[in-house]
Amino acid sequence: MNHKTGPFSERVRLLLAEMSLEEKIGQLLLVNGAEGELTEELRTGIITGRIGGVLNEADADTVGEMQRLAREESPRGIGLLMARDVIHGYHTIAPIPLGQAASWNPEIVEACARLSAQEATQDGLNWAFAPMLDVSRDPRWGRVAESFGEDPLLIGELGAAMVRGLQGKGLDHADSLAACLKHFAGYGACEAGRDYNSTFMPEGELRQTHLPPFKRAIEAGARTIMASFSDLNGIPATANKQLLTDILRGEWGFGGFVVSDWEAIPQLMDHGLCATEKDAAFEAASAGVEMEMYSSCFRDTLAALIEKGRLNKKRVDEMVGRLLEVKCEMGLLDDRKHPVNVPDMAAGLACVKQAALESIVLLRNQDNLLPLDQAGLKRLAVIGPLADKQADQLGTWVFDGKPELAITPLKALKEALPASVELDFVAGLGHSRDTSTAEIDQAVNAARQADLTLLVLGEEAILSGEAHCRAQIDLPGAQSELLNRICDTGKPVILVIMAGRPLAIEKEASRVKSLLYAWHPGSMGGPALADLLLGKASPMGRLPITMPRLSGQVPIYYARRRTGRPPTGEFYTHIDDIAVGAAQHSTGNTSHHLDAGYTPLFPFGFGLGYAETRLEKLQLESSRLPMDGCLSFSVELVHESGPRQREVVQVYLRDHVASVTRPIKELKAWQLVELAVGERRKLDFSLPLSELSFVGRDQAWRIEPGTHTLEVGLASDGGLTLDFEIVA
Ligand code: GLC
């Protein structure tokens, strides 16, 4: 038996027995590539076994040579982890994850991830820093773009789908990318939506809201996790033993390895938790970090920490052992093959087009202006700084994207509209932040002469993503002025928003006939939009995140608490209705804003289609259930009029009285249902009551007797409801 054969654990044990301390520490180092250059430093590091992985090297030949050196010339022949941020596509780009989440469709998320893996492994990559599973309820935060939105269940299911897609048939398969769940944990709660900012939350909130998506994605087979930059209740995640060891290992039994985020270990000094790199390395290694990304605290200090007896040598063996176990699973201790099947470009574009089609959300469609009546359309004005921007429609985190592959709304409409329709394009503004209004007159003229205007506004890609947070989440630049001038012509306007976050567009939305939210829709955003505008498909996207009226409402999300003074109806005096000189008096002592009330512009789960559908006949099998029972019920979805339509039938539950305050409702299940014209479909659900459990005062998951409400709807508000009792 040698380390080349036998069970992984045995192979790892034998390897550890052979390896020097320096080689072991080398495995814990994830170094940055040099953009296609195999520098002497990299070459030496690999040959001497002092490097465990490389990130950001995407040149196939360089990656191939690095692996050859590691396998053939290093002391133990251990292959390299080759990592990249493959977040929502590699060359062919899918909608940003927030857009993919609007599909509510694990299958399309998995398919896009599979495509990413097939493309990225062609260049020799084998590890993706995805899915990002941070619960994001603050659209000021730039990274909301790379999240699956605000709800833990939706995030967990779509994150699990992305893991399946990335990893494919198995970690050792040639076209498999090992997933890396990030950022563990609670990063999305950064104060003020300011990236890298502190996060403060009760342990119950951490366990109830932020951890479940990670647990769900681990169950789907993820073997690596990235610790978050953020400070969690005074202990940065990178040094947080409760997170990285007590919960991840002790409670969940996670067997893979944890990698730090970029320089997050020396940043423990910036946090003010550590005074030296040696202390930072000790804190991170002791808390549960196995691999160090980019920085070199482990390389420079672990040997001394062991020598001084501060860090137990066994912990280093455990760190290296966990990493080698995953490398074994990935085939990196054997001759992992290079993928032979080059992904089909047309199939890839079709996949990301379908994802874009399912992600675009129709939020308003006054007078059923959409789908366009092509017969009556003679002249269409296409206006806006995002109507023809290939790179911007790809969104954030597209290091290896190919903008030249992207088809914009303008290009797609030119191809899709009949020659009888005259199309007039005027950008109106140079880019989304442009404040020069010189071209607005020309845009207004085009709108005036057209039958209707398609106005494509929003954010350039650079305005969302890591460290790209905005305090005021309105339309940047002079876009609102452009919109108002176009609407002042009195001609109908269809507004399409491309953005990496929900924008506070209450006033703008009220002025247009139709509003479609396209997020950053990826390579095929244009053709997908054209199909929806022309009625080749009916919009099926539903909001994965709440849309605020005003920036100041944020954070705003559906699963809020009632509070002791719950806002109900419109029982408050709007700021504009308060009499001048009014003496202090109650304007409605409930939880609301004078200038915004308490409801969002559009709620979580909301979206329109071209068909009229309705739910009816919600029926419970039993309205009194034992604690270990199962909530079984049915509902009927009816297609009343219009084209074939896919709906997201959403199931929410409410616990009226419990030992801790509970959200007014929580998503517990959903079904995607496609109805033909006039069809009626009965849907059956069966939820084990354990799905209702929550984290109690003792931080343990529990279920309690009492009155609950089942709500089944086509959004997070306005569904059919029935009460039931859980009896002890
Ligand atoms: C970044 C991000 C992380 C990413 C890593 C490597 O700072 O926080 O999501 O995977 O560094 O690029």
Side-chain angles (χ1 to χ4, degrees):
M1 172 91 73
N2 62 38
H3 74 255
K4 294 187 185 302
T5 60
F8 291 157
S9 53
E10 190 50 24
R11 293 175 69 180
V12 168
R13 189 185 64 75
L14 291 171
L15 257 179
L16 287 173
E18 292 170 21
M19 291 168 78
S20 68
L21 177 61
E22 213 179 2
E23 283 176 79
K24 290 175 183 174
I25 293 171
Q27 281 300 312
L28 306 179
L29 224 53
L30 180 64
V31 300
N32 208 35
E35 293 179 359
E37 190 196 345
L38 186 46
T39 62
E40 204 39 48
E41 185 184 4
L42 281 167
R43 177 185 294 277
T44 309
I46 293 169
I47 289 174
T48 56
R50 304 286 191 277
I51 288 175
V54 178
L55 78 151
N56 293 333
E57 182 50 74
D59 172 73
D61 294 339
T62 308
V63 169
E65 178 57 10
M66 286 175 164
Q67 284 294 14
R68 188 195 66 76
L69 291 171
R71 292 285 295 139
E72 296 173 13
E73 301 189 23
S74 76
R76 312 291 159 200
I78 300 169
L80 297 167
L81 291 163
M82 298 305 291
R84 188 70 158 170
D85 289 286
V86 184
I87 309 295
H88 57 108
Y90 188 64
H91 295 323
T92 310
I93 302 298
I96 54 173
L98 191 58
Q100 292 183 45
S103 73
W104 289 60
N105 185 0
E107 286 179 15
I108 197 66
V109 169
E110 181 173 345
C112 290
R114 188 82 299 270
L115 170 67
S116 306
Q118 288 167 342
E119 290 188 348
T121 50
Q122 286 293 316
D123 287 343
L125 297 170
N126 56 39
W127 189 22
F129 293 140
M132 188 266 217
L133 300 175
D134 300 312
V135 177
S136 309
R137 294 174 167 176
D138 192 328
R140 294 172 295 182
W141 189 40
R143 305 200 76 161
V144 68
E146 54 187 293
S147 79
F148 287 120
E150 73 181 56
D151 181 77
L153 180 70
L154 184 60
I155 296 167
E157 290 306 313
L158 299 184
M162 189 173 272
V163 168
R164 291 193 297 270
L166 289 171
Q167 299 187 163
K169 296 190 182 76
L171 284 178
D172 60 346
H173 278 245
D175 68 357
S176 164
L177 280 182
C180 182
L181 310 182
K182 68 186 188 182
H183 307 78
F184 195 62
Y187 186 17
C190 52
E191 257 189 350
R194 195 151 46 83
D195 207 356
Y196 318 121
N197 203 2
S198 308
T199 64
F200 299 100
M201 65 187 80
E203 184 173 334
E205 176 65 4
L206 172 70
R207 289 178 175 276
Q208 179 90 41
T209 301
H210 295 273
L211 294 185
F214 288 90
K215 193 158 190 290
R216 180 70 189 84
I218 289 169
E219 289 162 359
R223 299 287 289 149
T224 79
I225 286 186
M226 187 186 297
S228 163
F229 287 125
S230 44
D231 175 348
L232 175 61
N233 298 330
I235 305 176
T238 306
N240 196 305
K241 183 175 173 297
Q242 183 197 18
L243 259 187
L244 303 182
T245 298
D246 302 347
I247 293 173
L248 189 59
R249 309 289 181 177
E251 295 178 28
W252 295 359
F254 177 65
F257 71 85
V258 174
V259 62
S260 76
D261 203 336
W262 185 282
E263 286 188 313
I265 294 178
Q267 284 167 13
L268 294 176
M269 294 187 283
D270 300 287
H271 277 288
L273 191 87
C274 300
T276 66
E277 290 204 351
K278 185 178 288 183
D279 291 345
F282 173 73
E283 287 289 342
S286 309
V289 175
E290 271 81 39
M291 191 172 214
E292 179 171 10
M293 183 191 301
Y294 187 71
S295 44
S296 49
C297 298
F298 281 181
R299 182 194 66 193
D300 299 341
T301 70
L302 283 190
L305 284 166
I306 292 169
E307 201 180 312
K308 298 277 186 237
R310 269 188 80 186
L311 188 66
N312 191 313
K313 187 174 174 304
K314 282 188 184 152
R315 171 56 187 146
V316 173
D317 281 355
E318 182 183 63
M319 293 160 76
V320 181
R322 284 172 173 166
L323 203 133
L324 291 177
E325 283 263 353
V326 176
K327 283 194 167 184
C328 277
E329 292 163 23
M330 293 170 68
L332 294 176
L333 270 61
D334 303 305
D335 288 328
R336 175 180 162 127
K337 298 285 178 283
H338 190 81
V340 289
N341 304 325
V342 177
D344 175 72
M345 167 82 77
L349 290 171
C351 175
V352 298
K353 177 186 172 184
Q354 181 60 28
L357 205 57
E358 297 190 29
S359 70
I360 294 172
V361 187
L362 178 63
L363 294 171
R364 185 182 168 88
N365 194 26
Q366 207 173 1
D367 307 332
N368 292 323
L369 177 65
L370 291 177
L372 290 176
D373 167 18
Q374 292 185 59
L377 182 62
K378 295 287 177 285
R379 191 172 183 139
L380 173 69
V382 176
I383 296 170
L386 285 153
D388 194 34
K389 290 283 174 50
Q390 289 175 299
D392 282 318
Q393 82 181 41
L394 300 185
T396 188
W397 285 116
V398 289
F399 288 157
D400 308 288
K402 292 187 181 297
E404 65 276 16
L405 277 181
I407 300 179
T408 64
L410 177 67
K411 185 163 187 292
L413 283 168
K414 281 180 178 173
E415 289 168 5
L417 285 171
S420 58
V421 177
E422 199 174 336
L423 193 152
D424 223 354
F425 169 58
V426 181
L429 294 166
H431 53 83
S432 68
R433 289 163 292 145
D434 192 357
T435 54
S436 63
T437 55
E439 207 182 280
I440 290 185
D441 286 346
Q442 187 189 347
V444 171
N445 289 337
R448 196 170 281 124
Q449 292 164 34
D451 301 316
L452 61 83
T453 291
L454 178 74
L455 186 54
V456 188
L457 305 177
E459 291 179 323
E460 295 148 88
I462 194 66
L463 300 184
S464 61
E466 182 173 353
H468 300 155
C469 307
R470 295 179 63 207
Q472 193 73 9
I473 51 171
D474 53 6
L475 278 170
Q479 295 185 86
S480 291
E481 181 180 343
L482 172 62
L483 178 136
N484 287 325
R485 294 277 310 279
I486 298 293
C487 292
D488 289 347
T489 63
K491 292 290 187 71
V493 176
I494 301 158
L495 174 60
V496 174
I497 296 287
M498 286 194 188
R501 57 165 56 85
L503 295 177
I505 52 170
E506 182 173 37
K507 288 194 172 67
E508 294 82 356
S510 68
R511 296 219 56 193
V512 298
K513 284 269 193 186
S514 299
L515 168 59
L516 288 152
Y517 219 84
W519 317 101
H520 284 124
S523 304
M524 293 296 276
L529 187 66
D531 280 5
L532 293 174
L533 292 171
L534 302 179
K536 291 182 183 169
S538 177
M540 59 202 95
R542 300 294 180 259
L543 291 177
I545 190 167
T546 300
M547 296 277 296
R549 298 173 187 281
L550 299 173
S551 300
Q553 286 188 294
V554 166
I556 182 170
Y557 48 93
Y558 85 89
R560 60 183 169 81
R561 295 316 200 260
R562 270 173 64 80
T563 76
R565 294 197 168 195
T568 50
E570 293 308 311
F571 292 103
Y572 77 98
T573 309
H574 190 277
I575 193 166
D576 297 337
D577 303 332
I578 296 174
V580 175
Q584 177 165 350
H585 66 287
S586 165
T587 56
N589 290 348
T590 62
S591 179
H592 68 276
H593 291 106
L594 284 176
D595 50 355
Y598 67 95
T599 60
L601 180 60
F602 299 106
F604 175 83
F606 176 76
L608 301 171
Y610 295 148
E612 288 300 321
T613 59
R614 75 171 189 281
L615 286 168
E616 62 179 35
K617 295 183 183 172
L618 175 61
Q619 292 177 327
L620 276 169
E621 203 170 273
S622 166
S623 59
R624 284 179 64 78
L625 298 165
M627 304 266 274
D628 60 354
C630 207
L631 179 66
S632 299
F633 56 95
S634 65
V635 71
E636 292 196 5
L637 179 64
V638 183
H639 183 292
E640 292 182 293
S641 66
R644 191 172 185 81
Q645 179 69 52
R646 191 182 86 183
E647 289 291 2
V648 182
V649 179
Q650 302 158 40
V651 176
Y652 296 86
L653 287 174
R654 181 175 163 197
D655 182 353
H656 287 260
V657 178
S659 54
V660 294
T661 59
R662 308 284 294 112
I664 59 168
K665 63 185 78 174
E666 292 174 295
L667 180 71
K668 290 300 177 186
W670 72 91
Q671 282 190 26
L672 299 182
V673 186
E674 182 151 342
L675 288 189
V677 177
E679 184 182 354
R680 170 188 291 269
R681 182 92 55 84
K682 184 182 177 198
L683 307 175
D684 294 307
F685 293 86
S686 186
L687 284 181
L689 286 186
S690 55
E691 301 284 316
L692 265 78
S693 57
F694 62 91
V695 177
R697 296 182 188 183
D698 59 358
Q699 306 311 330
W701 287 87
R702 59 190 298 121
I703 188 166
E704 294 173 354
T707 303
H708 293 69
T709 297
L710 164 68
E711 179 172 355
V712 181
L714 301 178
S716 58
D717 66 351
L720 303 176
T721 59
L722 282 176
D723 287 356
F724 63 95
E725 291 293 321
I726 296 179
V727 294

